[in-house]
Amino acid sequence: MKVSMKSCWFWIGLIILACSGLRAGEVRQEVQFPNLPGYVTLACDLHMHTVFSDGVVWPTVRVNEGWRQGLDLISLSDHIEHLPHKKDMKIKLNRSFELASASAADHGLLIARGAEITRDTPPGHFNAIFTSDNEKLNVPDFVEAVKQANEQGAFVFWNHQGWKGSEKGKWLDVHTKIYENKWLHGMEVCNGDSYFPDAHRWCLEKNLTMLGNSDIHEPDLRQKSEPANHRTMTLVFSKERTLPAMKEALLQGRTAVWWKEQVIGKKEYLEPLFKESVHLLGEPVWREKAVWLQFENRSNVDLQLKKTAGDGPAEIKLPAISTSLVKIEATPEMKSLNLQYTVANFIIEPEKGLPVAFEVNKKTATAKTAENTEP
Amino acid sequence: MKVSMKSCWFWIGLIILACSGLRAGEVRQEVQFPNLPGYVTLACDLHMHTVFSDGVVWPTVRVNEGWRQGLDLISLSDHIEHLPHKKDMKIKLNRSFELASASAADHGLLIARGAEITRDTPPGHFNAIFTSDNEKLNVPDFVEAVKQANEQGAFVFWNHQGWKGSEKGKWLDVHTKIYENKWLHGMEVCNGDSYFPDAHRWCLEKNLTMLGNSDIHEPDLRQKSEPANHRTMTLVFSKERTLPAMKEALLQGRTAVWWKEQVIGKKEYLEPLFKESVHLLGEPVWREKAVWLQFENRSNVDLQLKKTAGDGPAEIKLPAISTSLVKIEATPEMKSLNLQYTVANFIIEPEKGLPVAFEVNKKTATAKTAENTEP
Amino acid sequence: MKVSMKSCWFWIGLIILACSGLRAGEVRQEVQFPNLPGYVTLACDLHMHTVFSDGVVWPTVRVNEGWRQGLDLISLSDHIEHLPHKKDMKIKLNRSFELASASAADHGLLIARGAEITRDTPPGHFNAIFTSDNEKLNVPDFVEAVKQANEQGAFVFWNHQGWKGSEKGKWLDVHTKIYENKWLHGMEVCNGDSYFPDAHRWCLEKNLTMLGNSDIHEPDLRQKSEPANHRTMTLVFSKERTLPAMKEALLQGRTAVWWKEQVIGKKEYLEPLFKESVHLLGEPVWREKAVWLQFENRSNVDLQLKKTAGDGPAEIKLPAISTSLVKIEATPEMKSLNLQYTVANFIIEPEKGLPVAFEVNKKTATAKTAENTEP
Amino acid sequence: MKVSMKSCWFWIGLIILACSGLRAGEVRQEVQFPNLPGYVTLACDLHMHTVFSDGVVWPTVRVNEGWRQGLDLISLSDHIEHLPHKKDMKIKLNRSFELASASAADHGLLIARGAEITRDTPPGHFNAIFTSDNEKLNVPDFVEAVKQANEQGAFVFWNHQGWKGSEKGKWLDVHTKIYENKWLHGMEVCNGDSYFPDAHRWCLEKNLTMLGNSDIHEPDLRQKSEPANHRTMTLVFSKERTLPAMKEALLQGRTAVWWKEQVIGKKEYLEPLFKESVHLLGEPVWREKAVWLQFENRSNVDLQLKKTAGDGPAEIKLPAISTSLVKIEATPEMKSLNLQYTVANFIIEPEKGLPVAFEVNKKTATAKTAENTEP
């Protein structure tokens, strides 16, 4: 075929026009965390808003955002009491869920009906998820609203504790009351860009479920969930990918929070999550003065390991979804390595990372979580 | 200061927490095209939708998007007749403009009231921009609606000609009627991902203003306007950055369309736009067998030059907002270079790029637009 | 803890300084193509240069580049005859391999000794890989050099056929001679940015191994292998990840070429590669007028499917390493879908894509490769 | 034109092939810092290595890297004494400069001959730039080598002070000797990823020139100089873009160091650099409870402002090369704003940022550098 230089670009243009007229389809990229033994690791965001309360997007937008960013479950928790758009909208409290449901089904995205019980501080704001009729939560008394939610079988948690007002973030009698009635199941340890150490501590002390949510009001511009740019979300260790299984896992507290560069959760879940995430690949290469190790990180987090004892460099960085080559200084007579580290961004208590250890000898390399290496 | 390795990361974490609680502000990056002699080059999008017709975002979202992407003027052209959200919303036809106006003022973004007159095809859809009361356009007869818009001093253009139905895109008597009454001022040569060659030709033949708009209904995820990823928009060569000046420029047809990797416009505007965009930097370096030239491209378009005659390589690519080093093959006896090219993505007629030429001699380098080098 | 606003940033700075002094380690991201039944899919580049011929990097740089970009096997094929740096270097023909070997071992990267036999065109340039002593290839006669390589057990292929000179790219008696002696095992179908349709055709006709290599001389700036920005490479379907297994696979022709946005190879390998790459996820969602399907693409290629017959849109795009939601228009009475497409960028012959088909019914979804749907 | 769906993609492929065969040219993006009154702001890196000492790239690679990243001046400071490649290379101490010079001229990049005088610590390593014959620096005595360099008119600075050995970083008699002889003109405040507070302090105390250099040995993978990913470099405030003017500016100490997210320099240069970088755009928008300001940042640094007194939020972030919308809380009766901040990443002394202030009233907005607002 002869194509003169001068004309061919116009032909390309023409042909591209003739072939186009097609929209790029919707594309999803998974949130990448390994499953735990016995559980699938799923991602959810249970706190977001639409035009039906004080958000600025139509409910279906939240489905598109959540699906493309790799979430498995969302809930549109529009406020019951705070309705700044009511001059322009005919608001019903179940409507955002209804509008989003068909789209969620098309996407294979789980969606739970939910609402935000939005009273002054104290007592603060609370989300009720897995409700059956949000209108019934629209009652004058706060405790009555929480009770109503529980009668519908809802999962209830305290939002952004530590936020706003002179009584902000205090644990008061009203909290004790709903907690003792088992009407309060969890707390947001993280909400958007904020972290609440008190909520973190209380979740550990009172055995409440740890949650991290976006509380997004604006459109979410992210195409996918990246290590350095992702929404605050809750990882749920669920028996399967269904609404009832997710609810069971949430009520049982099988969660971790992915917030900025950190994963926050109970040691009993972060320990196996680390073990499933980090693997020594291939055979160590033993040289006279060094051993070369390859660590694979299968999680979506750039892991930061700080040395506590034993061999190895002061710090090891393991970027997300990649393999890192690490040089361990050694001597010719060494027969094995003992690496003791804290995973500084796998947080098991306020200000405390997960301790881990690796033992490597000239024949085999095994990874285990440290039991005796805590600082 | 002594900081032990073990503890310092927690301190960093703590301090970051103590210092944060601040939202990242809104950030704008300019659309980068040089001004023309006598005119400022401004960017506008005059076709977009909100929840007040069939869009899925609140009107203020369009202000945020347009401002951060470097636009100077927007118009929310919600449909007058197509109102799929009316079950949930109390729709008034001027409301999206009213809701967006204060936010636009805070951002220093110009906003014009507008609406889309949305009848069957034919005659097709038409935008009326710079209206004073959209409710008055809500009349049964199409021609009457266009007349009403003109009586309000609106700028009226035919949207996405070539779209939909068996009569799609045909120029019919009704179009002749509004054109001859001077009630039709422009056409969308590009709408979103689509280009309409007939509209392009008619704009040249009938002296109609060329427009490119996004017609966006979803949230726009783009942070900024990049060469390979920007909304379809209209560049306006305006006497100043005010609403009246923009309207005057639009009515006078001083526009170009930035669509995908192309700029489409009349030769009288693309020629100076190229001259202001591309400069030979520094002194040419003359070697025995080659001359080295540095071309600076100050526009937001990756320019593609195809040789038509004279010296130089078959193709020269000049990426946006950068300087390219280009090697011109030469002989020791050569005293000057004569480069004749077509800018394949500065489109002055359907399938025709802008011809340009550069003359370089051993002392000086000058750029001029070719008059005699057309294919 | 109380930290005043004014001072905390300096503390962060100080602490970061105290904690730093650590180099970011080397990081690898895998080239992502699924394995085939019975074979692991490995990536190799068998054509590159160092300062020991006409390249501009030290041999170890090629190890770093290849490892971080996910390659499994490289060969430094420095020229035997073309040595422009010999004024500054004491060149020995096995030296670049020797210098790179220890570093390759540290990285767990396979490296094969190799060299480029660089004669005028014709006969052109040929790579001999898996040699044992490159010095012995330094003989005056071209055929003798190829014979020598074969006596060392080398895998020999014709580089960038179609390149340079008046006799360029022709198949001459000298090629017939080495081919008939079984001293020629493959051809570069792609070299860097170039594709050679004649080489492609001859590989199919003469049962030669298809290769794609970078022929890189400069540093490779890519951090990882991305769909739109990766080196030209050969995918090898190997029994295991060892040098002998790779050589066996290369001699048996079990390869495909990843070049720009395309994969080029024999149908017998591209067919299972597609089947392992593309999966229908979950249950199709049947609506009255549409069926929603989710296609997962596990390969590193943005797949472009063009419809040939049956149901579905004219084009389906499946971006790399992600899941795409595809809407298939349907009618209420339909019980099953039959999608017949060509994978336009899985090339099984010059200008011919791989035909594929999917059958979906209301209960189950199965994917198969089309046998009867060729254009 | 009629193009059937089935065939058009192959045509596109073919046409692209027919049109290609062209290398993408070299592209440069400027380091963006505004000029100061009376001076052009130029970028240089005066410390890097090639295969001619312990680097791993050919000298011309350093020209390509520096030019594309927007540098104006480089120097290849190969070691005089540390020559690990000498087994493979015929090393001469002026050779890397000679090999790079022609390429630098083709690129319009300034290059200065230089070398690293590499003795044990103490005294440490020193760069001599603008030498005329590096061989003459190859003398046994350290002080003699420094004297030789000065006799050639070189600009001499102490590299990475604070690095290595028990005597590391100490200011000893030998340093006093060369300093008092005026043979020592500057110090690296930053080298690669490291910052040296002692060097910083001594530069201020002893009126030595502050330098930041990459000390790069590997290939530099960066395409351009970005705020979050750029080489450590020295900004030079020069009378013009020539070698003599650059040398004059370096000897006079008119520099600043761009290191990670910080600019480090004397207050007399950072103050005008800030004034030229940050501008209030347009008219402030006064609302009842807030004033909206637009700050343009024309520098390549994401500026971090911390409030010290007056109005405004605790922190203002001004991302590089963009405009930020900032909301200032106000009251209806306020007539003017007084913003007092420290630029936390414009460092004028160890642990001290540049104080700045803005005054805004209802009519006009003016920016000035604070004289009286220091903490």
Side-chain angles (χ1 to χ4, degrees), chain D residues 54 83 87 99 214 259 289 300 333:
Chain D
D54 58 348
L83 302 170
K87 185 175 168 187
L99 283 166
S214 70
W259 177 72
K289 294 185 178 173
N300 234 341
E333 57 274 10

Side-chain angles (χ1 to χ4, degrees), chain D residues 262-336:
Chain D
Q262 306 191 355
V263 175
I264 301 165
K266 291 180 187 158
K267 193 182 175 192
E268 67 188 285
Y269 302 118
L270 296 202
E271 211 164 74
L273 188 61
F274 182 85
K275 276 189 184 167
E276 300 294 330
S277 296
V278 175
H279 296 261
L280 275 166
L281 279 193
E283 283 300 305
V285 179
W286 287 77
R287 301 288 185 192
E288 198 174 317
K289 294 185 178 173
V291 183
W292 295 92
L293 302 178
Q294 300 208 14
F295 288 90
E296 185 189 29
N297 175 2
R298 298 178 187 175
S299 83
N300 234 341
V301 171
D302 295 330
L303 294 166
Q304 301 163 356
L305 278 65
K306 314 292 167 188
K307 182 174 172 176
T308 52
D311 304 307
E315 182 188 351
I316 299 176
K317 291 185 183 174
L318 304 178
I321 312 298
S322 58
T323 298
S324 295
L325 182 68
V326 178
K327 182 184 187 176
I328 312 291
E329 301 205 352
T331 56
E333 57 274 10
M334 281 172 72
K335 292 279 177 292
S336 67

